[in-house]
Amino acid sequence: MHEVEAKALLSRWNGMNLYRGCTHGCIYCDSRSRCYQFTHSFEDVAVKRNGPELLESILRRRRRPVMISTGSMSDPYQPCEENQRLTRRCLELIEQYGFGATVITKSDRVLEDLELFERIHRRAKSVLQMTLTVADDGLSRIVEPNVCPTSRRYEVLKAFQKRGIPTVVWMTPFLPFLTDAEENFTRLLDYCIDAGVRGIVFYGIGMTLREGDREYYYQALDRHFPGLRQIYQAKYGNAYHILSDQDRVLSPRFHQICERYGILHDPEQCFAYLRSLPERQEQLSLF
C-alpha cells in the first residue's frame, strides 16, 4: 500500500475510486488488464489520501444532488479501508450534503457502515451493489481467496433488505467449466430472489479475458485446475468476451425468472436506476 495525491476524483457519471488496486485476489479480475495502465503492482494499493477533500470541494459547489458511486475498479471495502476509512469519510460527506450513494463491493466490511447507508437513504437514496458469482463457498475461496464467501455476501444483502435499503447484484462473471453449471446459476438466482434485490447486472454465461487479466487467470488455472488452461486456449484462443456453451440455455431462463419476480435485468436499466436520484420535496411546516 502507498499513498498518492489525486488531482481529480469523479468521472462523468459521478463515480470515484478511492483506492487503485486490490488485495482480494480474485483470479478473474478485469481490473488487472493492461489497458488500465497500472504503473505499480496491482496488490500494492494506491490510496488517494486527499479523496475526501476533493469530494467535499465538489459537493459544496454542486447545485443539485446526484448519486455518487464507488467501487467500479477497486473494492472500496478491501482490508486497507479498516485503517484508512476513506470510504467511510466520503459517505459521511455524502450524507452531510444530501447526495445519494451507491457502492460495489464483495466485502462484509460494508456492514460497519450500514447505519450510515440507512441515513443517506432516508434523506436521499443509497444502494448496495454486491457481486455474486460462485455459490459454492469452497470454490469461492479458491477463485476469490481474500474476501468473504458468497453465503456471507447473501447475509449482507439480507441485512440491507431488512433496513429497507435497495440492492443490486452483479451476477458476473461465469467461468466456463468452473461456475457455468445450472446448479450454480440457480443457487445464485435463489439468493437474489430471497434477498429481494432490485436489479441484477448480467452479461450472459461467460467472462472477459484480455491482456494482463488473461495471463493472471491462466496462472491461477495452472495452480488450482491443471489442464484447464489448455482447454480454454483451444476453445477460445485470445478472444476478449468468451461465452460458455451453457449460455444459450441459461440466459433466456435468467431473463424469464427476473421478469416473473419483477427484478431489473437489462444492464442499462440497472445503471439508469443506480444513477437516478428522485427529488425529495421538503414538507412545509405550519409552525
Side-chain angles (χ1 to χ4, degrees):
M1 185 188 76
H2 63 282
E3 294 187 345
V4 297
E5 194 83 8
K7 295 180 180 179
L9 190 67
L10 293 189
S11 70
R12 60 175 296 203
W13 294 114
N14 299 305
M16 62 182 177
N17 285 286
L18 299 164
Y19 303 108
R20 182 165 165 79
C22 188
T23 57
H24 284 338
C26 303
I27 69 173
Y28 52 76
C29 180
D30 179 71
S31 293
R32 292 181 180 275
S33 299
R34 203 150 291 152
C35 63
Y36 298 118
Q37 301 178 334
F38 272 81
T39 57
H40 55 86
S41 167
F42 191 71
E43 286 76 17
D44 179 17
V45 178
V47 177
K48 298 180 183 178
R49 59 186 178 187
N50 61 328
E53 289 75 19
L54 287 175
L55 180 62
E56 182 166 24
S57 176
I58 293 168
L59 300 185
R60 191 186 296 120
R61 296 194 309 266
R62 290 281 179 97
R63 293 186 177 182
R64 297 184 62 181
V66 296
M67 291 291 289
I68 306 294
S69 66
T70 185
S72 62
M73 284 289 294
S74 301
D75 198 308
Y77 284 100
Q78 56 186 297
C80 59
E81 169 65 12
E82 281 194 32
N83 295 320
Q84 298 296 322
R85 296 293 185 184
L86 294 185
T87 302
R88 171 79 187 190
R89 287 162 60 194
C90 286
L91 289 173
E92 289 171 340
L93 289 169
I94 288 169
E95 179 197 11
Q96 176 183 338
Y97 285 92
F99 281 62
T102 179
V103 301
I104 309 171
T105 185
K106 296 176 184 173
S107 176
D108 57 356
R109 287 185 180 88
V110 70
L111 288 173
E112 297 177 9
D113 291 337
L114 178 55
E115 292 185 1
L116 182 50
F117 279 97
E118 190 174 22
R119 295 198 301 269
I120 292 171
H121 192 63
R122 194 180 303 129
R123 184 175 180 185
K125 176 183 174 182
S126 67
V127 184
L128 170 67
Q129 301 177 67
M130 185 151 271
T131 301
L132 303 183
T133 184
V134 189
D136 179 81
D137 283 355
L139 184 55
S140 175
R141 290 186 177 97
I142 294 173
V143 302
E144 305 162 322
N146 303 323
V147 70
C148 63
T150 299
S151 61
R152 176 58 174 161
R153 291 178 230 167
Y154 161 70
E155 293 174 355
V156 173
L157 290 168
K158 291 289 288 184
F160 274 72
Q161 178 193 36
K162 186 175 180 180
R163 297 291 187 96
I165 301 168
T167 56
V168 168
V169 160
W170 287 69
M171 209 165 92
T172 183
F174 286 89
L175 313 182
F177 309 107
L178 286 175
T179 67
D180 59 345
E182 181 177 359
E183 179 185 2
N184 183 62
F185 167 86
T186 301
R187 287 177 63 189
L188 292 177
L189 262 182
D190 286 346
Y191 276 146
C192 293
I193 292 166
D194 189 62
V197 303
R198 182 70 181 89
I200 302 175
V201 178
F202 174 83
Y203 292 109
I205 307 298
M207 65 183 301
T208 59
L209 284 176
R210 53 184 161 189
E211 189 178 6
D213 171 25
R214 183 185 297 110
E215 290 81 359
Y216 188 86
Y217 182 65
Y218 282 169
Q219 289 170 10
L221 293 186
D222 287 340
R223 287 196 307 273
H224 301 292
F225 311 100
L228 189 52
R229 171 175 59 88
Q230 289 79 2
I231 296 174
Y232 270 74
Q233 290 174 324
K235 187 174 180 65
Y236 302 114
N238 289 326
Y240 166 55
H241 187 237
I242 63 178
L243 280 179
S244 162
D245 293 339
Q246 294 283 79
D247 181 69
R248 62 184 179 84
V249 174
L250 297 182
S251 279
R253 189 179 306 174
F254 167 80
H255 294 293
Q256 291 167 3
I257 292 173
C258 287
E259 283 287 331
R260 185 188 312 161
Y261 287 94
I263 299 172
L264 296 174
H265 52 97
D266 175 84
E268 290 306 316
Q269 287 181 329
C270 291
F271 298 149
Y273 170 72
L274 291 166
R275 292 170 186 149
S276 67
L277 182 59
E279 292 188 14
R280 300 279 177 104
Q281 297 291 335
E282 297 290 336
Q283 291 187 354
L284 296 177
S285 172
L286 297 178
F287 299 97

